């Protein structure tokens, strides 16, 4: 909280706006797509896809991938489809399928055509696996997972060929069909590609293409007991759909030779899709891994996937982050070939910039302290017309009542003011925003010596907040009339992770959890706060932006504070 009046919309250009106006050149992925279109590759067609695995909720890292894939399709007159990469029935669920589609809608993108599923292609993938066997490029291995794993060797360490590697085509076909038909137990056999056990790239050391899992699938039920691996499903699904540019994150770069190898041995219906990798989004004080996010939920560190502290799309939405700010943020971060971590303050700066324009100004007190105006005429209520938005006259005004008992912020009063404390203290005059100048006279203490009430007088001549004699006060404070206040719950948030790069040093990211990431306050709000809509974001004067909870309109989540921390960071970066 600051002593200065609330930020005005004309406040100097924030960090986000500043950096955004700098460079606007094409990133390397868009350059590649542009060149492909120009050279007539794929007949000038551009088709991308967003391929989530339905095993969790989307997070802001996914939003980067979404806006990249949908953005490129939009910019190059192409299409982008949604395909669920549902090859792993153990962890996947229909509820995630529904939630992911809802989140995409909220993010403002519309997948082209009907929703696709890798499981739509199970039959085709199976047939292609048989083709691979017939060409002598795949075999059934009877060894267990551990044996296969150690035989793979490692970097600079030779691989060991499986004793089952030279089975005949006939034997392999019969065994693979048997796997599908239930003749083998789970884990008893796998289908492997026959590539090169001495390849430098570990993914080419006879990777597993199919495993047996007697687990019902959320879409195909018990139709299948063998399931393709990611590597067998992904590129082929791209090819079936006609994807031209298959964009994924850097950790899949090592898979690219395998992606290409699989496609090169099949008679594809059309062009061979091309995989390109880009850097993941990482944000300081944040973890973007479904595995860790799930742990936060299951261990009870947060209320759920949609807790306002979560970097999930649902969490950010509850927190009051506009989808448009998320989009501008990921556009600004851009796509690079090297992983890096972006300061969370930059994201907040984009959010603050948008909310500064859109949010109505309101007054609310998070930690209320009672002020009694001793010279206030008994029973009088003054109504002030206060602007909803100082920079936007079209936003109109609302009526705010003032009476003899008020709530102010507890930390806006000090019995014995420290140096440079210009807020209320005995003998000090301050402005109550848009209302009157008041002067504290004395305070009522409880038996512990804590202030429980401030007594003050007001200057009737200062209606609207200025004195006719032109005398100045150093502080303007927010307030709420006690008789008219609505009770609200205010959630103040701090970073969910204390360390800027949680887990980066190899430690468990959960060991860096901030145990004080949420402070719940019983606050008081001005009367119009009884009429807010779920999800609406308002600015509480001097406190920050607050989003109305999606389920309970008496609960407010602090979206971001008013101060632009990013401006400070970028300034010191430019200096350094
Ligand atoms: P996580 O690591 O969080 O579990 P994932 O990669 O397993 O994520 P998927 O559902 O497979 O999750 O991801 C769908 C798409 O989103 C993939 O193309 C993936 O590369 C991309 N993606 C996931 N996380 C990020 C991120 N942090 N930044 C950019 N893209 C991401
Ligand atoms: Mg994945």
């Amino acid at each position: 909280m600051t002593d200065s009046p609330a930020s005005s919309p004309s406040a100097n250009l924030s960090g986000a706006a500043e950096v955004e106006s700098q460079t606007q050149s094409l990133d390397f992925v868009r350059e590649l797509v542009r060149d492909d279109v120009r050279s007539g590759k794929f007949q000038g067609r551009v088709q991308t896809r967003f391929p989530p695995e339905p095993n969790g909720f989307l997070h802001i890292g996914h939003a980067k991938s979404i806006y990249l894939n949908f953005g490129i399709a939009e910019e190059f007159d192409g299409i982008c489809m949604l395909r669920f990469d549902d090859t792993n029935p153990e962890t996947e669920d229909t509820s995630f399928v529904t939630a992911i589609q809802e989140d995409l809608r909220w993010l403002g993108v519309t997948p082209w055509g009907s929703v696709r599923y890798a499981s739509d292609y199970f039959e085709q993938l199976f047939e292609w696996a048989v083709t691979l066997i017939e060409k002598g490029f795949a075999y059934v291995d009877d060894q267990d997972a551990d044996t296969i794993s150690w035989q793979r060797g490692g970097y600079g360490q030779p691989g060991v060929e499986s004793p089952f590697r030279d089975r005949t085509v006939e034997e392999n076909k019969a065994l693979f069909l048997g796997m599908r038909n239930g003749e083998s137990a789970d884990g008893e056999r796998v289908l492997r590609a026959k590539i090169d056990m001495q390849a430098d790239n570990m993914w080419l050391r006879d990777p597993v293409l199919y495993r047996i899992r007697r687990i019902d699938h959320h879409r195909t039920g018990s139709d299948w007991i063998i399931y393709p691996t990611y590597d067998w499903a992904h590129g082929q699904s791209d090819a079936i759909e006609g994807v031209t540019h298959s964009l994924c994150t850097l950790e899949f770069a090592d898979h690219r030779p395998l992606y290409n190898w699989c496609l090169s041995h099949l008679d594809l219906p059309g062009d061979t899709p091309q995989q390109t990798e880009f850097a993941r989004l990482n944000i300081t004080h944040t973890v973007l891994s479904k595995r860790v996010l799930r742990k936060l939920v299951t261990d009870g560190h947060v209320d759920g996937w949609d807790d306002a502290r979560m970097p999930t799309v649902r969490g950010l939405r509850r927190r009051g982050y506009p989808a448009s700010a998320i989009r501008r943020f990921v556009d600004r971060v851009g796509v690079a070939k090297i992983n890096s971590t972006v300061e969370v303050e930059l994201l907040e700066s984009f959010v603050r910039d948008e909310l500064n324009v859109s949010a109505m100004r309101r007054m609310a007190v998070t930690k209320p302290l009672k002020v009694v105006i001793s010279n206030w005429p008994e029973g009088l209520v003054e109504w002030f017309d206060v602007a909803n938005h100082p920079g936007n006259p079209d936003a109109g005004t609302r009526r705010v009542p003032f009476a003899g008992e008020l709530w102010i912020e507890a930390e806006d009063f000090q019995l014995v003011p420290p140096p440079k404390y210009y807020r209320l203290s005995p003998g000090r005059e301050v402005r109550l925003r848009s209302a009157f100048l008041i002067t504290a006279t004395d305070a009522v203490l409880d038996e512990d010596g804590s202030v429980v009430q401030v007594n003050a007088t007001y200057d009737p001549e200062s209606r609207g907040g200025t004195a006719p004699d032109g005398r100045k006060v150093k502080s303007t404070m927010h307030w709420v009339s006690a008789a008219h206040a609505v009770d609200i719950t205010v959630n103040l948030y701090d970073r969910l992770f204390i360390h800027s790069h949680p887990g980066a040093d190899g430690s468990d990211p959960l060991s860096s959890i901030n145990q004080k990431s949420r402070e719940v306050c019983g606050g008081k709000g001005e009367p119009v706060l009884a009429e807010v809509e779920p999800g609406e974001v308002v600015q509480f004067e001097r406190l920050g932006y607050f989003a109305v909870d999606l389920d309970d309109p008496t609960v407010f989540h602090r979206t971001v504070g008013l101060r632009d921390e990013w401006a400070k960071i970028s300034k010191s970066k430019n200096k350094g």
Side-chain angles (χ1 to χ4, degrees), residues 453-517:
Q453 179 180 316
V454 175
N455 296 320
T457 57
Y458 84 114
D459 175 1
E461 301 297 309
S462 65
R463 199 173 191 287
T466 42
D469 63 6
R471 69 179 187 279
K472 297 269 185 284
V473 293
K474 282 202 164 145
S475 239
T476 299
M477 300 178 357
H478 59 280
W479 52 273
V480 173
S481 164
H484 305 88
V486 292
D487 288 319
I488 57 176
T489 300
V490 183
N491 291 327
L492 301 177
Y493 295 112
D494 196 352
R495 307 280 178 236
L496 187 51
F497 293 92
I498 292 167
H499 297 134
S500 56
H501 299 70
D505 58 358
S507 64
D508 179 359
L510 295 183
S511 67
S512 159
I513 285 256
N514 179 2
Q515 301 297 344
K516 294 182 187 147
S517 58

Side-chain angles (χ1 to χ4, degrees), residues 466-571:
T466 42
D469 63 6
R471 69 179 187 279
K472 297 269 185 284
V473 293
K474 282 202 164 145
S475 239
T476 299
M477 300 178 357
H478 59 280
W479 52 273
V480 173
S481 164
H484 305 88
V486 292
D487 288 319
I488 57 176
T489 300
V490 183
N491 291 327
L492 301 177
Y493 295 112
D494 196 352
R495 307 280 178 236
L496 187 51
F497 293 92
I498 292 167
H499 297 134
S500 56
H501 299 70
D505 58 358
S507 64
D508 179 359
L510 295 183
S511 67
S512 159
I513 285 256
N514 179 2
Q515 301 297 344
K516 294 182 187 147
S517 58
R518 177 171 65 190
E519 185 185 358
V520 181
C521 308
K524 303 282 181 185
E526 62 169 283
V528 285
L529 291 175
E531 296 154 26
V532 290
E533 298 289 330
E536 185 180 339
V537 183
V538 295
Q539 184 194 95
F540 286 163
E541 302 265 8
R542 296 173 70 227
L543 298 175
Y545 296 95
F546 288 78
V548 181
D549 187 64
L550 297 169
D551 303 311
D552 182 348
T554 67
V555 174
F556 291 76
H557 305 280
R558 183 166 64 195
T559 313
V560 279
L562 294 173
R563 221 193 280 234
D564 190 357
E565 306 290 344
W566 172 250
K568 241 192 308 182
I569 291 173
S570 62
K571 210 178 266 171

Side-chain angles (χ1 to χ4, degrees), residues 50-53 59 61-62 64-65 249 278 280-281 288-290:
F50 174 63
E53 195 182 341
H59 54 61
H62 294 115
K64 171 174 178 172
S65 173
T249 36
F278 63 95
R280 298 173 71 85
L281 177 67
L288 298 179
S289 145
K290 273 185 275 192

Side-chain angles (χ1 to χ4, degrees), residues 231-386:
D231 288 302
W232 184 246
H234 203 82
Q236 280 71 279
S237 301
D238 285 342
I240 292 168
E241 291 169 0
V243 167
T244 57
H245 298 83
S246 180
L247 310 177
C248 59
T249 36
L250 285 176
E251 66 270 24
F252 290 100
D254 287 348
H255 295 242
R256 179 160 24 97
L258 177 55
Y259 179 101
N260 293 334
W261 183 92
C262 292
L263 292 172
S264 71
H265 289 93
L266 302 172
D267 278 328
L268 301 178
D271 293 314
T272 304
Q274 163 186 313
Q275 175 180 313
T276 305
E277 308 87 21
F278 63 95
R280 298 173 71 85
L281 177 67
N282 295 305
I283 304 178
T284 54
H285 299 284
T286 308
V287 170
L288 298 179
S289 145
K290 273 185 275 192
R291 189 183 51 80
V292 178
L293 296 179
R294 185 176 302 112
K295 195 122 182 31
L296 288 174
V297 175
T298 52
D299 289 3
H301 295 292
V302 294
D303 295 345
W305 287 92
D306 59 354
D307 186 297
R309 289 164 291 181
M310 290 283 271
T312 52
V313 170
R314 295 185 162 220
L316 298 174
R317 178 181 180 183
R318 187 176 294 272
R319 183 78 172 255
Y321 281 32
S324 48
I326 297 173
R327 183 166 200 163
R328 289 177 59 234
F329 164 73
V330 300
D331 281 352
R332 155 70 182 89
V333 169
V335 276
K337 290 183 203 180
I338 299 171
N339 280 324
S340 64
T341 303
V342 182
E343 274 91 358
V344 67
E345 290 85 357
L346 178 64
L347 169 60
E348 292 172 343
S349 183
F350 276 98
V351 170
R352 187 181 299 107
D353 274 7
E354 289 217 13
L355 296 177
N356 185 29
V357 175
S358 61
M360 297 295 113
R361 274 46 172 176
R362 300 289 181 250
M363 286 198 285
V365 172
T366 55
K367 291 164 192 166
L369 172 62
K370 179 73 70 74
V371 173
V372 176
I373 312 283
S374 52
N375 60 339
W376 187 260
E378 175 93 42
L380 176 67
V381 178
E382 282 263 15
W383 289 86
F384 291 98
D385 288 315
V386 183

